Amino acid sequence: MKTLELKLKEILEVDEIDNSDILEDFDEWDSLTILTIIATVDSEYGIQIDSNDLDKATTIGELYSLIESKLK
Amino acid sequence: MKYVFANKRITGILSILPPNEVKFEDEIDNYNFSRKQSLKLSKIMGFGTRRIADEDTTISDLCIYGLRYLFENNLLKKDSIDALILVTQTPDHFLPPTSNIISGKLKLSEEVLCLDINQGCAGYEIGLLQAYLLLDQPNVNKVVLLNADVLSRKVSKNDRNSRPLVGDGASVTIIEQDKSAKELNVYVKMNGESAFAIQVPAGGFRLPSSPLTSVLEKDNSGNERSLDNLVMKGDAVFNFVQNKIPEMIDYIFKDLAISDEDIDYYLFHQPNKFMLEKLAEKMKIAFDKMPNNIVGKYGNGSGITVPLNICENLNLKLKKKSLNVILGGFGVGLTWSMIVCQLTDLKFCKIINYQKL
């Protein structure tokens, strides 16, 4: 998840992220960011998540869990 | 399904664009997005300018203008046409078929078969498939394929999801018998379970347009649209394309025992710059083999992006040599389709501006 962490920091335009950070609280959190995350997860891990999946994740930690659950 | 054809090929392509050019920047204030967000959006998606038809210009106007241009410049003989296939999502009327209206206005022969097909972003490939099927008949020598849409009128001004990418226009493609033509392979798949991923909810017989269907409502992302407007599940469509297109290309390479080296160009439908770049990355195809400059210059005009792409990018190259290409479309239906063929010796391959007569 290290690469993903780097990518997320880049997408969200922040220096640090923590598992407890609330996704909606990021200034950059909008529909474009969501699409960029969907595309990044597809190109990095070859798995597909959609905005319904993302709606269920509230925090960075939950986003990681969502991706891990799809990887299995 | 795979379809195989011989002895037929595309012999000319003309694109007809409305002259009105709209800039993305001029519409930023319509969207529920900050200026910074909008600029980021336009950079990633590749939004620039797009061509939009006037309120009173319909697809038959664009098609008739293009066909008259070909008649007047001796590029197409009126009495050589055996069939007129029109692929559109924005017909002039529910009935009669718009292809019949076009045939009538141009005084084409009663022998000419007129056929409207309702298809969108894969409309070029589906139209070509229909043309090839007709050309398998011994009496059919020349088919005119029209692709035309004025979908911008169905997109809400306050919908940054679809508005900044949709453009209008038409194209005329001539397909004819040619004994020296190379074999053609057409691949088509459809998934009706996802039919509503791209739709206009109201205006048909299931839900006729009414004052209620024209009321704008805000979605979760702050976009406003009514039931009369086009609505697209962007993420579902993105995943569909990233999933199904590489799968189909892999299948085609195996099926025809070819590889990326055998293909000069991938002439794919262009939904937006982002989607095509991600697709090229995923399939490890060089960006310069998959031209991606149509949406930012003219907008995404559904079925016309592929012929427009050929006119814009390959006109000069085709004058010098033949090109082995894969034409690809994906979208409404959901439909995805690829045609592996050779483009060669086009009698015409150009873009003209529509003028009101």
Side-chain angles (χ1 to χ4, degrees):
Chain A
M1 289 288 141
K2 214 54 194 160
T3 343
L4 184 64
E5 190 185 325
L6 285 174
K7 294 260 180 191
L8 280 178
K9 282 195 264 190
E10 202 180 303
I11 295 167
L12 295 166
E13 296 182 17
V14 290
D15 295 327
E16 289 303 325
I17 49 173
D18 190 85
N19 280 1
S20 62
D21 288 346
I22 309 283
L23 298 172
E24 282 188 1
D25 289 350
F26 287 99
D27 288 344
E28 294 298 317
W29 191 259
D30 58 32
S31 54
L32 182 61
T33 297
I34 290 173
L35 184 62
T36 314
I37 291 175
I38 291 172
T40 306
V41 170
D42 180 52
S43 59
E44 288 296 318
Y45 303 101
I47 56 166
Q48 309 202 318
I49 55 172
D50 59 27
S51 53
N52 289 335
D53 294 329
L54 276 171
D55 283 347
K56 290 177 205 139
T58 318
T59 61
I60 292 283
E62 284 171 29
L63 177 59
Y64 288 153
S65 312
L66 164 71
I67 294 163
E68 274 165 356
S69 72
K70 294 249 177 184
L71 275 171
K72 278 168 195 164
Chain B
M1 179 72 84
K2 177 190 178 184
Y3 307 82
V4 185
F5 299 98
N7 304 331
K8 40 191 80 63
R9 68 178 185 91
I10 295 171
T11 55
I13 306 173
L14 178 75
S15 299
I16 306 102
L17 295 174
N20 323 341
E21 195 173 76
V22 177
K23 288 193 182 75
F24 174 74
E25 283 176 24
D26 295 342
E27 296 193 315
I28 283 182
D29 294 339
N30 295 341
Y31 307 127
N32 188 4
F33 236 18
S34 70
R35 193 169 177 86
K36 188 191 160 206
Q37 281 175 307
S38 283
L39 291 175
K40 191 170 154 192
L41 178 74
S42 83
K43 194 173 160 234
I44 292 178
M45 295 295 162
F47 299 147
T49 51
R50 39 197 196 98
R51 298 291 188 90
I52 298 299
D54 280 350
E55 285 287 319
D56 56 355
T57 301
T58 67
I59 57 157
S60 72
D61 298 328
L62 298 172
C63 292
I64 288 169
Y65 187 84
L67 285 166
R68 284 211 171 111
Y69 174 91
L70 294 178
F71 297 154
E72 283 159 16
N73 289 283
N74 291 320
L75 295 166
L76 176 67
K77 282 204 180 73
K78 199 188 269 194
D79 58 10
S80 71
I81 302 172
D82 296 312
L84 203 58
I85 300 166
L86 168 65
V87 184
T88 188
Q89 307 157 106
T90 50
D92 286 14
H93 305 275
F94 276 131
L95 58 144
T98 310
S99 52
N100 290 65
I101 299 173
I102 295 169
S103 176
K105 286 197 174 161
L106 293 171
K107 298 191 168 31
L108 298 187
S109 153
E110 289 180 352
E111 295 293 339
V112 174
L113 174 75
C114 299
L115 205 56
D116 277 24
I117 297 176
N118 182 339
Q119 261 289 335
C121 306
Y124 194 57
E125 294 70 25
I126 299 300
L128 285 173
L129 170 64
Q130 183 60 57
Y132 299 146
L133 288 167
L134 282 169
L135 285 163
D136 268 346
Q137 288 297 312
N139 290 337
V140 179
N141 289 305
K142 190 177 281 196
V143 177
V144 171
L145 167 63
L146 304 169
N147 287 85
D149 269 306
V150 286
L151 205 54
S152 72
R153 239 167 285 166
K154 281 288 173 190
V155 182
S156 162
K157 283 187 171 59
N158 308 108
D159 181 3
R160 58 164 201 276
N161 200 339
S162 302
R163 180 81 180 180
L165 57 92
V166 174
D168 300 327
S171 67
V172 182
T173 304
I174 314 298
I175 308 99
E176 53 191 302
Q177 300 278 8
D178 179 353
K179 289 268 179 281
S180 64
K182 282 205 167 178
E183 184 183 271
L184 280 159
N185 291 278
V186 182
Y187 300 81
V188 182
K189 287 200 180 196
M190 300 202 183
N191 182 339
E193 281 180 42
S194 308
F196 292 107
I198 309 170
Q199 64 157 331
V200 177
F205 290 95
R206 179 66 68 189
L207 180 63
S209 284
S210 69
L212 278 177
T213 63
S214 69
V215 177
L216 288 175
E217 291 201 34
K218 204 173 268 190
D219 73 5
N220 290 340
S221 311
N223 290 302
E224 288 182 314
R225 59 178 87 82
S226 76
L227 292 170
D228 291 329
N229 293 138
L230 174 87
V231 57
M232 186 159 45
K233 288 179 190 150
D235 56 329
V237 175
F238 176 82
N239 282 334
F240 148 71
V241 171
Q242 299 301 316
N243 197 8
K244 296 297 185 183
I245 302 308
E247 192 179 281
M248 188 176 260
I249 289 284
D250 282 347
Y251 178 83
I252 290 171
F253 281 179
K254 282 196 193 93
D255 188 45
L256 301 177
I258 57 170
S259 72
D260 176 52
E261 287 173 17
D262 301 304
I263 304 300
D264 297 312
Y265 286 101
Y266 299 83
L267 303 168
F268 284 5
H269 169 62
Q270 301 186 14
N272 56 56
K273 182 165 148 267
F274 177 80
M275 206 133 133
L276 220 52
E277 274 179 4
K278 293 289 163 199
L279 194 57
E281 280 170 12
K282 188 158 186 175
M283 298 194 296
K284 299 187 174 60
I285 289 169
F287 280 179
D288 58 3
K289 284 177 86 167
M290 198 187 283
N292 194 359
N293 54 350
I294 297 300
V295 172
K297 193 167 176 187
Y298 303 117
N300 163 0
S302 299
I304 71 159
T305 60
V306 173
L308 193 51
N309 190 348
I310 298 171
C311 295
E312 173 81 10
N313 296 306
L314 300 181
N315 177 29
L316 293 176
K317 282 200 181 72
L318 280 167
K319 283 185 175 146
K320 290 182 211 140
K321 61 174 198 164
S322 305
L323 297 170
N324 293 316
V325 302
I326 300 184
L327 311 177
F330 33 82
V332 174
L334 294 172
T335 306
W336 59 114
S337 175
M338 301 275 156
I339 299 182
V340 186
C341 64
Q342 187 181 60
L343 288 179
T344 187
D345 189 25
L346 298 185
K347 202 169 173 187
F348 54 91
C349 179
K350 68 182 288 190
I351 302 169
I352 59 169
N353 274 341
Y354 168 76
Q355 282 176 316
K356 232 176 254 186
L357 300 173

